Amino acid sequence: MSKFGVLVMGPAGAGKTTFCASLIQHLRLNRRSCFYVNLDPAAEDFSYEPDLDIKDLISLEDVMEEMNLGPNGGLIYCFEFLLENLDFLTQALDPITEESLIIIDMPGQIELYTHVPVLPSLVRHLTRLGALNINLCAAYLLESTFVVDRAKFFAGTLSAMSAMILLEVPHVNVLSKMDLVKDTMSARQLRRFLDPDRSLLDTEHLHHDPYEEGEDEDADADVDADKDETPPAADGTNATKNHDDNDHTDPNTPRNVMRGRSFARLNRAVARLIDDFSMVSFLQLDARDEDSLSAVLSYIDHAIQYHEAQEPREPPDDEMDMEMEMEMAEEGEEN
């Protein structure tokens, strides 16, 4: 018997747990059952209590305290421990029927989705290659505010593509928290980010220098005003001028790191890589909007072929009685 599930992933702060809670509420309103699994050993606050919680097996706080590890090392240890105790998942998920959607909430440490081999092993156990035979889809959430900084947006898109290649399961990539950017960008501008390509890194935005605005302008004016009063250096040159020249040529200053040619080339290389693979496209999500949730859920259902496996069912007795009453009322009006 097949099962159906979605693996909710993404960097910290992307809104994964909020999306899970909104999805659970949406499913319940539409009379669909679900099974909520929390695999974040550091998570504490939930709108809906998980049906299965990794903290019942191991918690990040205990690992950090007993093993003297940091947050990232402790998280990887938790997942390695989970892989050694997969019966914890198997015993809970094996009875789940094909009518339920298994929602798996993952932690936000990005290394789990990029280069650590722990998650692929877990996915193989969950899917048809393993014991549970779950038709699994990954939903990778990226915060929509990343579009304001295009270099940051392409870095997030690259992490989504890396997860797609690493896990080898159907993917739905989602720009979350759309309500935060709707007032700062037009709908036409936002649509450009749904199918990322290298044209987003145009010359104007790539060479935009925030250090040339605001306080730096005032500082430059002050330097110009004080140049005549600055005593010459021992070699007869102006010390302030030398300091200003060094500031513009020193590659270690934030000003030059963010505007340098190496930074520009790096971002264009990342954008070209994403464009060449042409794997990543995004859906828009506002977790408070039922229509937005329904649209994302429809893509997830399509990816896992949920509806194709459902057999026709008779409606409950109360719905049948209501339909019969409506038909009788319509016949009475016609007579």
Side-chain angles (χ1 to χ4, degrees):
M1 180 178 62
S2 296
K3 300 176 179 60
F4 300 92
V6 56
L7 198 68
V8 182
M9 311 183 308
K16 298 182 293 297
T17 302
T18 301
F19 170 64
C20 290
S22 300
L23 186 59
I24 292 170
Q25 182 180 11
H26 179 79
L27 290 169
R28 290 182 176 180
L29 289 174
N30 288 274
R31 299 185 178 183
R32 278 182 62 176
S33 59
C34 60
F35 190 88
Y36 182 29
V37 180
N38 171 53
L39 289 187
D40 185 351
E44 296 181 353
D45 299 325
F46 302 97
S47 300
Y48 294 94
E49 195 66 23
D51 299 297
L52 181 65
D53 194 341
I54 191 176
K55 293 198 301 296
D56 295 334
L57 176 69
I58 188 171
S59 72
L60 181 60
E61 183 179 358
D62 292 340
V63 169
M64 292 174 61
E65 181 178 347
E66 296 179 13
M67 306 294 294
N68 197 26
L69 294 172
N72 291 340
L75 180 73
I76 294 174
Y77 181 89
C78 289
F79 270 81
E80 290 175 345
F81 187 81
L82 176 64
L83 289 180
E84 295 174 358
N85 297 271
L86 287 173
D87 287 345
F88 174 76
L89 289 174
T90 304
Q91 293 174 3
L93 298 179
D94 191 54
I96 304 300
T97 66
E98 63 183 12
E99 297 177 357
S100 296
L101 179 66
I102 302 170
I103 303 172
I104 305 175
D105 191 1
M106 298 294 295
Q109 276 72 7
I110 204 66
E111 58 265 32
L112 285 176
Y113 316 122
T114 53
H115 56 277
V116 177
V118 173
L119 202 54
S121 300
L122 176 62
V123 168
R124 282 193 293 271
H125 176 75
L126 294 173
T127 59
R128 292 182 174 181
L129 299 176
L132 288 170
N133 193 29
I134 300 176
N135 285 11
L136 194 66
C137 165
Y140 194 97
L141 271 62
L142 190 68
E143 190 174 342
S144 61
T145 54
F146 280 25
V147 303
V148 177
D149 184 343
R150 300 193 181 189
K152 190 175 181 181
F153 170 75
F154 274 103
T157 304
L158 182 63
S159 68
M161 189 177 78
S162 176
M164 295 175 73
I165 296 172
L166 185 70
L167 300 183
E168 298 180 337
V169 294
H171 254 69
V172 176
N173 297 300
V174 180
L175 282 178
S176 61
K177 304 182 182 181
M178 289 301 299
D179 53 302
L180 298 181
V181 296
K182 286 182 177 178
D183 294 334
T184 60
M185 281 191 176
S186 66
R188 182 177 180 181
Q189 288 175 314
L190 287 172
R191 280 196 295 270
R192 292 191 62 196
F193 293 90
L194 301 183
D195 292 295
D197 61 71
R198 70 186 75 179
S199 67
L200 287 171
L201 283 178
D202 55 41
T203 304
E204 177 183 357
H205 288 86
L206 189 63
H207 292 93
H208 174 65
D209 185 6
Y211 292 94
E212 292 181 352
E213 300 177 358
E215 296 181 0
D216 278 1
E217 293 180 353
D218 297 334
D220 290 341
D222 292 339
V223 170
D224 291 338
D226 294 340
K227 276 183 180 179
D228 295 337
E229 301 178 6
T230 304
D235 58 357
T237 60
N238 188 291
T240 301
K241 183 177 186 301
N242 287 342
H243 174 75
D244 189 58
D245 289 342
N246 291 335
D247 184 60
H248 279 79
T249 58
D250 184 2
N252 297 318
T253 60
R255 173 192 187 112
N256 293 320
V257 167
M258 300 302 293
R259 68 179 299 192
R261 293 180 180 178
S262 297
F263 184 73
R265 287 198 298 269
L266 173 63
N267 282 289
R268 290 197 178 279
V270 170
R272 184 166 57 250
L273 180 66
I274 293 168
D275 200 6
D276 289 344
F277 272 82
S278 191
M279 293 174 60
V280 184
S281 60
F282 289 98
L283 303 173
Q284 302 181 64
L285 172 67
D286 181 354
R288 302 176 302 177
D289 186 347
E290 285 294 317
D291 291 337
S292 178
L293 275 170
S294 180
V296 173
L297 179 59
S298 68
Y299 277 87
I300 293 173
D301 286 339
H302 179 72
I304 60 179
Q305 298 180 325
Y306 173 81
H307 293 294
E308 295 180 15
Q310 304 305 308
E311 296 182 0
R313 292 176 295 172
E314 293 185 1
D317 292 339
D318 55 346
E319 291 186 9
M320 294 182 64
D321 294 340
M322 186 178 298
E323 291 178 0
M324 291 178 63
E325 291 177 1
M326 292 177 64
E327 290 177 0
M328 293 175 63
E330 290 176 357
E331 292 177 358
E333 290 178 359
E334 292 177 357
N335 295 333

